[in-house]
């Protein structure tokens, strides 16, 4: 059964720059209504009303849902005209959002299993909320975060407060030097791996998971226009060779569903 989607005007209550390329946007419903239920791994479509050249909504992963303050967190990379307007949105600004969209991460039935959450770059965004949801279910999530250098690691304090955190940087300025897939954490046995980041990184993590016979889910970041499965611009081939819409049948997929 398809879950209900909402089109909501939301008010910016905080917008924090994270380095020169990223912003953490915190939004609350302008009407004061309670946020609908949102799963870790789902995303939202954000309208950029004050940009004359941005005609389509921007798909943004849900970074966190602060239920105590009824706020939605979005970690945004300044990648163009649309996201530039979002990362510079002033406090009090109204932004229209469609949510929640897509299929989120699956949480194992048995608490106590060892889970690793792997993120690269802005791909760390959905893993913070997932980590909190896993903790609520009795798990002790562990994170592996990768970036080019220490200055590119995002929301490190929040991740470290949520679970044991391992780091990989390409220049060795924090954690282990190299790509996330060479991190020594993979010497340990995990019951499940979650991953989000650049496609080559996710495919490499998926390959590691297959060799270790470890259940693994990945969150794809295909380009999306509508977020509702109508425009077909986010289509991906599944393991059976059929086309699937990442925005509706994903963005989270088990690696067994993909031809990797």
């Amino acid at each position: 059964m398809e879950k209900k989607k909402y089109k909501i005007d939301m008010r910016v209550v905080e917008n924090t720059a994270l380095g020169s390329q990223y912003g953490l946007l915190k939004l609350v419903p302008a009407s004061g209504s309670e946020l609908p239920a949102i799963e870790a791994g789902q995303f939202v479509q954000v309208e950029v009303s004050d940009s004359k050249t941005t005609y389509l909504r921007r798909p943004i992963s849900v970074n966190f849902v602060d239920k105590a303050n009824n706020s939605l967190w979005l970690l945004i990379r300044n990648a163009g005209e649309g996201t530039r307007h979002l990362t510079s949105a002033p406090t009090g600004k109204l932004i229209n959002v469609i949510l929640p969209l897509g299929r989120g991460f699956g949480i194992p039935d048995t608490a106590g299993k060892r889970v690793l959450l792997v993120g690269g770059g802005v791909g760390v965004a959905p893993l913070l909320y997932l980590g909190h949801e896993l903790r609520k279910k009795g798990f002790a999530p562990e994170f592996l975060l990768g970036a080019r250098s220490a200055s590119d690691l995002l929301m490190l304090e929040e991740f470290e407060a949520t679970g044991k955190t391992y780091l990989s940087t390409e220049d060795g300025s924090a954690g282990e030097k190299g790509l996330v897939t060479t991190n020594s954490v993979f010497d340990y046995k995990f019951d499940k791996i979650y991953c989000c980041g650049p496609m080559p990184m996710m495919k490499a993590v998926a390959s590691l998971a297959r060799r270790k016979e470890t259940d693994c889910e990945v969150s794809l970041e295909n380009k999306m226009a509508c977020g509702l499965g109508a425009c077909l611009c986010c289509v991906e081939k599944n393991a059976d060779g059929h086309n699937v819409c990442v925005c509706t049948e994903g963005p989270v997929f088990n690696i067994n569903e993909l031809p990797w």
Side-chain angles (χ1 to χ4, degrees):
M1 182 177 179
E2 187 176 359
K3 296 179 181 178
K4 187 175 181 180
K5 303 170 182 63
Y6 300 84
K7 186 177 179 182
I8 304 174
D9 282 328
M10 304 194 74
R11 188 182 309 278
V12 177
V13 293
E14 188 177 325
N15 194 350
T16 305
L18 302 178
S20 60
Q21 289 185 292
Y22 303 91
L24 178 60
L25 199 63
K26 297 183 180 181
L27 308 168
V28 298
S31 66
S33 61
E34 186 176 346
L35 282 170
I38 300 172
E39 297 175 7
Q42 289 188 302
F43 69 99
V44 302
Q45 288 281 108
V46 183
E47 184 179 43
V48 188
S49 59
D50 50 359
S51 171
K52 295 181 180 179
T53 60
T54 306
Y55 304 107
L56 300 173
R57 291 173 180 263
R58 290 295 180 261
I60 308 290
S61 296
V62 172
N63 174 232
F64 187 64
V65 178
D66 181 357
K67 295 176 182 177
N69 294 298
N70 197 37
S71 69
L72 172 72
W73 297 14
L74 303 177
L75 179 59
I76 302 171
R77 181 169 68 92
N78 186 348
E81 176 72 6
T83 49
R84 181 179 65 80
H85 279 272
L86 295 176
T87 55
S88 61
T91 300
K93 181 177 178 58
L94 292 182
I95 296 177
N96 190 264
V97 178
I98 298 175
L99 78 167
L101 299 172
R103 178 176 68 166
F105 293 105
I107 295 179
D109 294 330
T110 306
K113 289 188 175 182
R114 193 171 185 187
V115 294
L116 178 67
L117 286 60
V118 185
V122 77
V124 304
L127 302 183
L128 182 63
Y129 186 36
L130 174 60
H132 277 260
E133 292 298 284
L134 285 164
R135 283 187 62 177
K136 284 167 56 178
K137 298 290 186 178
F139 295 87
E142 298 175 58
F143 300 97
L144 170 57
L145 310 180
R148 289 190 177 89
S149 66
S151 60
D152 298 313
L153 291 166
L154 300 169
M155 304 185 73
L156 187 53
E157 289 185 6
E158 287 83 354
F159 281 105
E160 290 177 334
T162 307
K164 186 174 179 61
T165 303
Y166 309 88
L167 304 174
S168 283
T169 52
E170 293 179 27
D171 63 2
S173 55
E176 297 184 18
K177 184 175 182 179
L179 302 175
V180 292
T181 48
T182 65
N183 195 286
S184 60
V185 71
F186 286 108
D187 293 338
Y188 305 133
K189 171 64 178 175
F190 290 93
D191 297 294
K192 183 151 188 172
I193 296 174
Y194 301 91
C195 184
C196 185
M199 185 67 77
M201 185 203 83
M202 290 195 292
K203 286 186 175 182
V205 170
S207 179
L208 278 169
R210 286 188 189 282
R211 290 203 302 270
K212 292 176 176 290
E213 298 182 338
T214 303
D215 190 33
C216 181
E217 291 185 2
V218 296
S219 179
L220 304 190
E221 296 183 321
N222 293 35
K223 290 184 178 180
M224 300 178 189
C226 71
L228 302 170
C231 69
L232 304 181
C233 76
C234 67
V235 165
E236 184 85 13
K237 290 285 186 185
N238 68 8
D240 296 326
H242 299 135
N243 291 328
V244 294
C245 285
V246 170
C247 67
T248 54
E249 297 182 64
V252 175
F253 293 89
N254 191 285
I255 59 172
N256 294 329
E257 299 176 279
L258 300 170
W260 293 1

